[in-house]
Amino acid sequence: MGNRSGGYLSGHLWPTLLLSILSLISSLPVHAQESLPPVLLTVSSRNQTINQVLDEITLQSGYHFTYDSDIINGRQKVQFRVTDLLLKKALDSLLKDPRLDYRSIEKNIVIYRKNQIGPSPISSTIDRSLLKGSVVDKRSGKPLPFATIALLETSLGSITNQQGEFSFKIPLDFPDPMMVISYMGYRRMVVPVTYPVKEELEIGLEKKLVPLQEVIIRYVDPVKLLHDAIKRIPVNYLDEHSTMTAFYRESVKRNEHCMVYSEAVLDVAKGPYASLTSKDHISIVKRRKISDVTAEDTVLIKLRSGISTSLSLDVIKNRPDFLEDDFETRYNLEFSDMLTYGDRLVYVISFQQKREIHDLLFKGQVYLDQETLAVLAVDFEFNPELLHKEPELFLVSRSPKIRIRPVAAKYHVNYRMVNNKYYVSQVRGEVEMKVRKRKKWISSRYKISIEMAITDLIPGQRLRINPADRVSRNIVLADEPVQFDPEFWGIYNTIEPEASLQESIRKLAHSSQEIFE
C-alpha cells in the first residue's frame, strides 16, 4: 500500500475524473429453462377470473406469473377444472391460445406470445435489431437512472442513462428474445420483445419492500458483516482470467456548456480477483471525440486519463481503505437499511470517517448480498467537509494563474454474478470543481464525468493485449479526434446520452463534420 494516510486505492490516488463503469449487465444471475417444471396441478374453479386461477396455480406450484395484459385478459371469467395435470398442459388448457409460450426463470414463469415474424436489422451493415425505451417507477413515472438492461441467457447488456432511457442492439438469431430489467429496491422484470419492435417501450418497475420482521430478524452487527464480507472475497469473485468488452464515455462541462464529449469501445483483459500480481489491461477498439473548447476553457488543463484508471475503481481487486481489514481504525459503521435486488435480500451498511481523523477519507454505503455476503455495489465519495484540502487530486497540471476548489467527488461501482462468481460490471463517477482566474471575482463550475459499461463477458478466456496496444496512463481520450458518425458503433451496445447532452452533441457534431469535410 502507499504511504498516503488519507483515502486511497492500492497506493494510487483516487482517479481524478469520475469514472463510471456502467456495467450494463450488472444484474443478478438469471437462469432460464426451455421447459416448465413437471408440477402436477389439481384445480376446480367456477366463474373465476384468469388472474384468480393463476393465483391458485401459484399457491400449488410456488411459481409466479408475468404477462402482458395485451395478450391475456386477466379479468376474463372461466370455468376451469383439472386433476393431476402437468403445469404446461394446465396453462394451455386455461389460456387456449396456441400462439402463447412459457419461459421459467427461477421461481417465475413468463407467458408471452411467440413472434410470427423475424427481427429486422438496423441497417445493411448492422445485423442487429434495435430496442429503445425507458425504465420508470411504475407508480410515480419517475425515471430510474442506471437501471440494468440485460438480454436473457447471454452476457450482453447495458444500462439506462440519467433520464432512464436506453437503446439495446439484439442479435438477429434470437427469435423470441427477453430482456431482464433490474434496479436496487425494485422487483426484477422480464420483458419479452415483440417483433416488429415498437418505436419506444416504457417499462414500469414496482418497488419491493422488505417486511419489518425480516429487518428485525436478520439484523446483525455491521462491523462483523463487513469483516465477514472481506474474508469471503476469494470465494465470491472470479478466480480466472476473463475477456470483457466495455463501452466508455467521458465529458467535461463548464457551467452548462459541454466542452468535450468522448466515447470508446474497449477490450479488457481482466485478471483473477485472487491474484495480486495479475494486472488488468485495456486496449481501444474504436473511439470518437467531439469538442468545443474556447480560450476561456483552457484554464482547465489536462485531466488524468479516465480509461487507464477506470478498472482501478474495481474496489474488490483494488481495495480502498474502507474495505481493508483494519477499516475499523478509520471508519464508523452502521446498519442503515435492508433492500431487495432481484429476488435477493441486500444489507446496506453506511460508513463515514471518524471525527478524530483529519485526513481526507471517504463516506458512503456498501450493499451486501444477505446470503453470500458478496459486495453487490458501493456508493462512496470523498468527505465533502475535507475535500478542499487536496485541490490537486483531480489534475495532472494547472496554470499558476487559476485557483481550483473541489466541490464534490462521487463514485459508484457494482458487481454482477456469472457462474456463481461476481465480477465488476458498473462504475460511474462525477467530479465537480470551481475554477477561478487570479484577480477575477466570478468562478466557473466544471463537471467531469466518466462512465464505462461492460457490454459482454467471456469468463475463463484469457485475452492477451500487445503491450504496444495497451492504454497507458498518459493517454487522454479527449486528445484523440475522431469523425462523428451516427452508425459508428456498429453492433456494439452503448449508453444513451441525456437530452441536454444530445443537443450539445448535435451542435458539436455539426461543427466537427464541417471541419472534417
Side-chain angles (χ1 to χ4, degrees):
M1 285 298 168
N3 56 9
R4 184 170 184 265
S5 57
Y8 59 85
L9 175 70
S10 293
H12 298 290
L13 291 180
W14 205 261
T16 163
L17 305 182
L18 274 207
L19 5 125
S20 134
I21 288 187
L22 304 175
S23 146
L24 77 190
I25 321 181
S26 45
S27 63
L28 291 169
V30 179
H31 303 289
Q33 299 173 355
E34 288 302 321
S35 59
L36 296 187
V39 177
L40 294 177
L41 299 174
T42 298
V43 181
S44 180
S45 299
R46 294 187 59 188
N47 205 31
Q48 287 188 314
T49 65
I50 289 178
N51 283 338
Q52 290 173 321
V53 176
L54 289 176
D55 287 343
E56 173 62 28
I57 295 176
T58 295
L59 290 175
Q60 291 191 34
S61 66
Y63 285 82
H64 297 270
F65 294 91
T66 299
Y67 60 87
D68 192 330
S69 59
D70 288 341
I71 64 172
I72 297 176
N73 180 8
R75 296 181 180 180
Q76 177 185 347
K77 291 189 175 182
V78 295
Q79 311 294 326
F80 185 68
R81 177 178 296 177
V82 297
T83 302
D84 291 336
L85 191 64
L86 285 171
L87 175 58
K88 185 181 185 307
K89 291 185 177 181
L91 291 175
D92 288 341
S93 176
L94 172 66
L95 302 175
K96 295 181 171 64
D97 187 342
R99 297 172 299 172
L100 297 181
D101 207 347
Y102 322 102
R103 189 79 63 85
S104 65
I105 306 168
E106 295 182 351
K107 298 300 292 184
N108 296 278
I109 293 175
V110 180
I111 303 174
Y112 64 98
R113 181 170 290 166
K114 292 178 286 189
N115 283 311
Q116 302 302 306
I117 62 174
S120 299
I122 298 173
S123 69
S124 59
T125 59
I126 304 177
D127 59 344
R128 298 285 190 275
S129 61
L130 181 63
L131 179 68
K132 294 177 68 70
S134 60
V135 180
V136 301
D137 179 288
K138 187 173 183 179
R139 185 169 183 177
S140 67
K142 182 179 178 181
L144 297 180
F146 311 118
T148 294
I149 314 294
L151 178 60
L152 184 65
E153 298 177 309
T154 76
S155 58
L156 301 177
S158 186
I159 60 169
T160 61
N161 64 14
Q162 293 187 33
Q163 296 173 318
E165 301 164 338
F166 70 92
S167 65
F168 197 96
K169 296 170 183 174
I170 304 173
L172 299 182
D173 52 356
F174 285 80
D176 294 296
M178 292 193 178
M179 308 305 297
V180 182
I181 318 298
S182 304
Y183 197 80
M184 190 71 74
Y186 285 73
R187 295 181 185 276
R188 183 183 57 202
M189 188 171 181
V190 179
V191 180
V193 178
T194 302
Y195 294 127
V197 175
K198 296 180 180 178
E199 191 70 22
E200 295 283 344
L201 181 67
E202 183 174 284
I203 301 171
L205 299 187
E206 295 181 345
K207 284 188 176 179
K208 184 176 182 180
L209 301 179
V210 180
L212 181 60
Q213 62 268 28
E214 289 278 4
V215 178
I216 295 175
I217 292 173
R218 299 179 186 274
Y219 178 84
V220 293
D221 177 19
V223 173
K224 182 179 185 304
L225 271 180
L226 191 53
H227 271 305
D228 290 345
I230 292 173
K231 290 178 183 177
R232 289 188 59 81
I233 285 176
V235 177
N236 283 328
Y237 296 84
L238 281 176
D239 55 359
E240 57 186 348
H241 290 272
S242 301
T243 295
M244 296 178 175
T245 302
F247 176 73
Y248 170 90
R249 72 180 185 180
E250 64 185 39
S251 64
V252 180
K253 289 185 178 181
R254 179 177 59 81
N255 298 328
E256 295 302 316
H257 171 63
C258 183
M259 297 163 49
V260 179
Y261 181 78
S262 307
E263 299 175 321
V265 169
L266 310 174
D267 279 337
V268 182
K270 184 71 175 171
Y273 278 88
S275 173
L276 298 179
T277 59
S278 180
K279 297 183 179 299
D280 301 334
H281 298 292
I282 301 174
S283 65
I284 298 175
V285 178
K286 302 186 75 172
R287 64 178 181 267
R288 67 181 181 183
K289 181 269 296 186
I290 48 181
S291 63
D292 184 16
V293 180
T294 65
E296 184 180 0
D297 296 326
T298 57
V299 297
L300 190 65
I301 23 2
K302 270 192 178 182
L303 302 163
R304 296 182 192 271
S305 168
I307 291 182
S308 65
T309 55
S310 60
L311 288 183
S312 295
L313 287 176
D314 183 347
V315 296
I316 297 300
K317 190 165 187 178
N318 309 287
R319 297 186 214 173
D321 49 13
F322 57 80
L323 287 179
E324 290 287 351
D325 293 330
D326 61 346
F327 64 83
E328 289 179 82
T329 63
R330 292 178 293 270
Y331 293 95
N332 292 319
L333 275 65
E334 65 177 14
F335 188 100
S336 57
D337 205 351
M338 198 165 185
L339 303 174
T340 59
Y341 190 46
D343 295 325
R344 307 177 76 92
L345 290 174
V346 178
Y347 295 125
V348 183
I349 297 175
S350 298
F351 62 90
Q352 59 182 0
Q353 72 179 83
K354 294 185 175 182
R355 287 287 181 181
E356 60 269 24
I357 296 180
H358 303 293
D359 295 307
L360 178 60
L361 301 182
F362 301 103
K363 60 179 293 188
Q365 297 81 39
V366 179
Y367 300 81
L368 300 179
D369 180 86
Q370 180 269 328
E371 182 180 346
T372 65
L373 292 184
V375 177
L376 301 182
V378 183
D379 287 304
F380 60 106
E381 62 179 305
F382 278 109
N383 188 339
E385 298 178 5
L386 301 175
L387 189 57
H388 65 278
K389 284 188 172 186
E390 300 202 37
E392 307 296 330
L393 185 62
F394 307 103
L395 300 172
V396 174
S397 62
R398 70 181 174 94
S399 167
K401 297 180 180 180
I402 64 174
R403 295 186 61 184
I404 297 174
R405 180 182 176 86
V407 176
K410 300 180 180 180
Y411 306 86
H412 171 85
V413 57
N414 64 23
Y415 294 82
R416 181 194 180 217
M417 181 190 282
V418 58
N419 298 332
N420 296 316
K421 298 284 186 178
Y422 289 88
Y423 69 94
V424 64
S425 69
Q426 175 182 159
V427 183
R428 59 180 179 266
E430 192 172 87
V431 169
E432 292 189 44
M433 59 185 73
K434 290 184 178 180
V435 179
R436 180 169 63 86
K437 290 182 178 180
R438 183 179 294 177
K439 298 181 180 180
K440 297 289 185 179
W441 290 100
I442 299 176
S443 61
S444 296
R445 197 178 188 99
Y446 286 81
K447 179 184 290 185
I448 307 134
S449 62
I450 301 180
E451 299 173 326
M452 190 184 291
I454 304 300
T455 55
D456 203 355
L457 167 75
I458 307 177
Q461 181 183 88
R462 184 168 188 172
L463 175 65
R464 299 188 182 277
I465 299 176
N466 190 308
D469 297 328
R470 295 173 185 171
V471 173
S472 63
R473 295 188 63 83
N474 60 359
I475 290 180
V476 178
L477 187 60
D479 290 344
E480 306 292 329
V482 178
Q483 184 171 355
F484 189 91
D485 178 0
E487 292 193 353
F488 180 77
W489 299 119
I491 66 172
Y492 294 105
N493 277 307
T494 63
I495 305 164
E496 283 290 285
E498 289 71 34
S500 60
L501 193 54
Q502 285 178 345
E503 179 61 19
S504 297
I505 292 172
R506 187 188 65 78
K507 293 179 180 178
L508 293 179
H510 179 70
S511 301
S512 298
Q513 287 170 347
E514 288 182 347
I515 293 173
F516 286 126
E517 291 171 357

